[in-house]
Amino acid sequence: MKALILVGGFGTRLRPLTLSVPKPLVEFANKPMILHQIEALKAIGVSEVVLAINYQPEVMMTFLKEFETKVGIKITCSQETEPLGTAGPLALARDKLIDDCGEPFFVLNSDVISEYPFKQMIEFHKSHGGEASIMVTKVDEPSKYGVVVMEESTGKVQKFVEKPKLFVGNKINAGIYLLNPSVLDRIELRPTSIEKEVFPNIAAENKLFAMVLPGFWMDIGQPRDYITGLRLYLDSLRKNSSSKLARGSNVVGNVLVDETAKIGEGCLIGPDVAIGPGCVVESGVRLSRCTVMRGVRIKKHACISGSIIGWHSTVGQWARVENMTILGEDVHVSDEIYSNGGVVLPHKEIKSSILKPEIVM
């Protein structure tokens, strides 16, 4: 089997992190976002992954070449010269996706994190005999999304309603599809939307079916959702493979710590924290609901919550960093500084407090 991952564009919503690396390579729970997907695809027998990409393909491919051998899966690139939306890339990668056996292929949005129940999806797809299967997930506020209206018993999709004013259902497109090769005949090579143009046509012919995603789901393409996604992911890790989580008197709730990180005396870490490789957390530090990326140093008695600390940054002694502060790569926060939602571009030194959410250029 094959799979296409829609990598797309510039990752503006996750700046300043995406000023240093393409978004799919930004770590999530100590592993590049896209690797979560590639490993899950490999586990159910996908042999080749095609990345649909229009930005920095060289950086992506250089990085992924080393994973090709590690994970044992073929990774190729389909480069757009202009943005082609969510369906155009399928037409562009047509020759890479079609082979003689006529097997269906997966399509994934690269920002989606979940338990990836691909095996159940293959069984579901075979059972209904339609042309395409999509994953849907239940949400509390469907008015913010495109809602999928479906038959509960069979999963047959009846229609799509974009940001409904009145309640029509609470299931939204989760960005994970399994498609027969014949779907490619429906897509022209131009900027086009799979959700707005392709799927409604398949649904009109009663050939589109939706499966409700078991477990958690989050689109982690922006900081607040990234932090929420980390909580859901660590919850899921607790249920499925809790041995990967940190233990100890200084740990509260779910915490992931790379084995090369060093943590000092008298810290309190958690809940919902990921600490990357080579990090140094000095004594008396308090961390909660945050990600600390590779090579960061957090000095004594600093307090960080609800924030993302980018690669090789430093947070000074007694500093307080909170409320969706995002530090880009190599940012240095001086001692006793307060950051309330500061978004700091790479290679900056912060010598005065950031009292309200703002971008520091």
Side-chain angles (χ1 to χ4, degrees):
M1 285 186 85
K2 298 186 176 186
L4 178 87
I5 301 179
L6 296 165
V7 172
F10 300 110
T12 46
R13 296 180 305 163
L14 259 191
R15 281 184 186 160
L17 302 172
T18 47
L19 295 172
S20 299
V21 297
K23 183 170 60 177
L25 302 186
V26 172
E27 286 91 346
F28 174 81
N30 292 350
K31 191 189 293 182
M33 284 186 194
I34 201 163
L35 208 56
H36 290 274
Q37 299 183 332
I38 292 173
E39 287 178 352
L41 288 164
K42 162 74 179 167
I44 54 104
V46 169
S47 56
E48 183 176 348
V49 175
V50 181
L51 306 179
I53 186 168
N54 64 21
Y55 175 60
Q56 289 188 323
E58 309 76 25
V59 183
M60 283 284 291
M61 287 316 291
T62 305
F63 171 86
L64 289 164
K65 277 291 165 238
E66 71 179 83
F67 277 100
E68 232 182 6
T69 37
K70 248 187 221 169
V71 182
I73 190 168
K74 186 179 178 193
I75 302 171
T76 56
C77 207
S78 172
Q79 193 186 350
E80 307 163 33
T81 48
E82 57 166 340
L84 290 172
T86 50
L90 277 72
L92 187 67
R94 181 189 176 104
D95 295 343
K96 291 180 171 21
L97 293 170
I98 287 190
D99 50 25
D100 303 333
C101 58
E103 285 283 311
F105 58 89
F106 284 102
V107 177
L108 282 79
N109 287 343
S110 67
D111 295 351
V112 166
I113 197 93
S114 76
E115 284 168 15
Y116 306 120
F118 295 141
K119 200 161 181 275
Q120 295 98 300
M121 196 173 190
I122 293 169
E123 285 158 12
F124 173 73
H125 187 73
K126 284 178 179 161
S127 72
H128 65 64
E131 199 173 352
S133 300
I134 67 174
M135 280 281 186
V136 293
T137 184
K138 293 178 180 173
V139 289
D140 297 333
E141 281 186 68
S143 60
K144 294 196 318 201
Y145 303 94
V147 173
V148 180
V149 182
M150 57 189 266
E151 268 176 22
E152 289 300 321
S153 56
T154 62
K156 186 167 28 168
V157 175
Q158 292 156 326
K159 60 177 178 175
F160 294 83
V161 184
E162 195 57 40
K163 296 185 179 164
K165 299 274 185 288
L166 298 169
F167 185 84
V168 290
N170 65 345
K171 296 181 192 71
I172 66 160
N173 176 353
I176 301 172
Y177 319 130
L178 186 55
L179 312 177
N180 286 353
S182 57
V183 171
L184 294 170
D185 299 333
R186 299 173 176 270
I187 304 170
E188 296 171 27
L189 183 52
R190 60 178 176 84
T192 169
S193 160
I194 200 164
E195 299 86 356
K196 296 190 175 117
E197 297 178 61
V198 182
F199 286 156
N201 293 338
I202 304 175
E205 295 175 24
N206 297 320
K207 290 179 181 174
L208 181 65
F209 291 79
M211 172 182 158
V212 179
L213 182 79
F216 78 99
W217 176 89
M218 187 46 75
D219 176 327
I220 55 173
Q222 51 192 1
R224 196 168 296 280
D225 297 337
Y226 177 105
I227 296 286
T228 304
L230 183 64
R231 173 174 60 79
L232 298 172
Y233 174 83
L234 294 176
D235 268 351
S236 161
L237 213 52
R238 166 75 64 199
K239 292 189 193 94
N240 300 318
S241 48
S242 62
S243 61
K244 293 180 179 171
L245 294 172
R247 291 186 188 81
S249 57
N250 60 344
V251 170
V252 189
N254 299 332
V255 173
L256 195 60
V257 180
D258 186 88
E259 57 191 17
T260 61
K262 293 184 173 63
I263 294 181
E265 296 291 306
C267 292
L268 189 56
I269 313 284
D272 309 321
V273 172
I275 300 174
C279 290
V280 177
V281 179
E282 295 182 4
S283 58
V285 165
R286 176 73 181 104
L287 302 177
S288 65
R289 301 188 332 281
C290 64
T291 285
V292 179
M293 292 185 173
R294 186 180 60 251
V296 165
R297 178 177 285 269
I298 297 170
K299 296 188 178 173
K300 292 175 187 170
H301 307 294
C303 177
I304 300 173
S305 69
S307 298
I308 302 174
I309 311 300
W311 312 269
H312 307 291
S313 293
T314 312
V315 176
Q317 296 183 31
W318 296 100
R320 188 179 180 99
V321 172
E322 62 187 27
N323 191 22
M324 286 302 137
T325 290
I326 316 290
L327 304 185
E329 181 181 13
D330 179 43
V331 167
H332 302 282
V333 175
S334 300
D335 294 351
E336 300 179 32
I337 290 293
Y338 172 55
S339 172
N340 172 20
V343 174
V344 185
L345 272 66
H347 317 299
K348 298 279 167 222
E349 196 168 346
I350 301 298
K351 292 181 174 172
S352 55
S353 290
I354 301 167
L355 300 177
K356 61 179 197 306
E358 61 175 299
I359 295 171
V360 179
M361 304 291 273

